[in-house]
Amino acid sequence: MADPVGFLLENLDMGRNLVWGARNAGIPRLLNLGSSCMYPRNISEPLREEMVLKGELEPTNEGYALAKVTTARLCEYITRAEPKFQYKTFIPCNLYGRHDKFDAFAAHLIPAVIRKVDEAVRTDAEVITIWGDGTARREFMYAGDMADALIQGVERFDALPETMNVGLGTDWSVNEYYEAVADVMGYRGRFDHDLTKPVGMARKLVSTERLEAWGWRAGTSLRDGVQKTVDFFKKEWQG
Ligand SMILES: C[C@H]1O[C@H](OP(=O)(O)OP(=O)(O)OC[C@H]2O[C@@H](n3cnc4c(=O)[nH]c(N)nc43)[C@H](O)[C@@H]2O)[C@@H](O)[C@@H](O)C1=O
């Protein structure tokens, strides 16, 4: 992380000020967005909501995780102290989709891979370099599905638990994401690995037990989501 001080402070300020401002403005219901990086590192089983703060955080994004954990706890405390304020938290898995960040410094995995594969196809490159050994596993959900979960969350707010993961319940390896994007974009070259790059958590898969009990499931397949994101990248980002 390039700026750990700024990342912690800005995310903490955003979370704390929005939630406390809502409370002081008398807003009775609030849906806060956390992140799956709130969970302890090195847990390979599906991450259940009660595991937050039950172990050491991943150091590569600790400040962001601390800000998200603090804001989620603030929501819980407010609701406990004054039940007329129902402040709940969604914990989304990794997201990707239209309007993603595709620039080399800010991009997360899927938009970074789309940009790399696009460049390789355009320049006839024979090799694309994957960060790490490619065995880290991630659960990436299409952002349009997250928007749907949020709309449902607003409409069926009272049936929501205090904290709930929003994810797919399945994950893929980093190598498999590269293959999926290569397939959609028609790249036929090879891949190699740069073992000096950060890989973060080995696995980050959220439990969907509460989500299923609430009655919601993501509707977009990885292939369709990647296709929509590639279309956006080509038509609207590259212009
Ligand atoms: C949502 C979540 O997102 C972040 O955590 P992350 O899951 O590690 O996200 P990521 O998308 O950057 O990487 C996923 C995996 O993919 C590998 N990888 C391979 N090749 C490239 C590549 O070219 N670019 C990137 N960025 N990653 C690559 C990379 O080494 C890693 O193993 C935090 O900001 C966290 O704070 C947060 O909330």
Side-chain angles (χ1 to χ4, degrees):
M1 187 174 292
D3 175 20
V5 174
F7 225 52
L8 170 61
L9 287 178
E10 284 173 19
N11 284 291
L12 200 52
D13 285 352
M14 273 188 276
R16 178 222 195 276
N17 288 331
L18 271 169
V19 170
W20 194 235
R23 147 70 180 73
N24 290 336
I27 308 282
R29 291 187 208 88
L30 182 138
L31 197 44
N32 169 51
L33 282 179
S35 161
S36 55
C37 71
M38 287 160 62
Y39 285 111
R41 65 195 299 222
N42 296 335
I43 297 185
S44 57
E45 64 189 279
L47 299 157
R48 296 189 314 279
E49 291 81 350
E50 63 271 20
M51 289 175 172
V52 170
L53 287 183
K54 296 288 183 328
E56 198 184 321
L57 294 166
E58 162 59 38
T60 50
N61 52 36
E62 189 182 83
Y64 181 66
L66 285 169
K68 289 291 190 185
V69 168
T70 303
T71 306
R73 282 294 203 255
L74 178 61
C75 288
E76 285 176 35
Y77 295 170
I78 289 172
T79 297
R80 211 169 300 154
E82 296 174 279
K84 66 178 178 191
F85 296 110
Q86 289 291 309
Y87 287 8
K88 302 182 179 182
T89 296
F90 272 179
I91 305 183
C93 65
N94 289 38
L95 302 173
Y96 72 100
R98 292 165 48 80
H99 303 282
D100 221 321
K101 292 186 187 127
F102 295 93
D103 55 290
F105 295 107
H108 285 290
L109 176 64
I110 293 188
V113 179
I114 289 174
R115 193 189 160 118
K116 282 178 175 177
V117 172
D118 174 70
E119 195 178 315
V121 170
R122 281 190 292 105
T123 60
D124 266 335
E126 283 168 16
V127 184
I128 290 176
T129 301
I130 297 177
W131 289 10
D133 67 5
T135 59
R137 300 187 70 82
R138 288 292 183 279
E139 178 185 19
F140 270 91
M141 186 169 79
Y142 184 61
D145 287 341
M146 185 66 215
D148 181 65
L150 281 166
I151 291 165
Q152 289 278 315
V154 169
E155 285 174 356
R156 296 194 287 127
F157 186 87
D158 293 341
L160 283 172
E162 189 174 62
T163 309
M164 186 178 80
N165 293 328
V166 182
L168 308 169
T170 38
D171 59 359
W172 287 271
S173 71
V174 166
N175 285 331
E176 286 168 329
Y177 283 112
Y178 274 84
E179 284 158 18
V181 174
D183 193 37
V184 166
M185 300 185 81
Y187 171 71
R188 305 266 169 266
R190 292 184 296 112
F191 295 105
D192 67 7
H193 295 93
D194 180 351
L195 302 182
T196 67
K197 291 286 193 225
V199 293
M201 276 155 75
R203 191 177 196 199
K204 205 166 28 161
L205 173 66
V206 300
S207 160
T208 50
E209 247 172 74
R210 289 189 190 179
L211 185 65
E212 279 165 29
W214 181 64
W216 186 86
R217 186 182 281 267
T220 309
S221 69
L222 178 61
R223 201 191 155 86
D224 287 353
V226 166
Q227 184 69 63
K228 286 181 188 170
T229 310
V230 167
D231 290 347
F232 173 86
F233 173 75
K234 288 191 169 166
K235 287 187 203 129
E236 295 181 53
W237 197 83
Q238 281 182 323

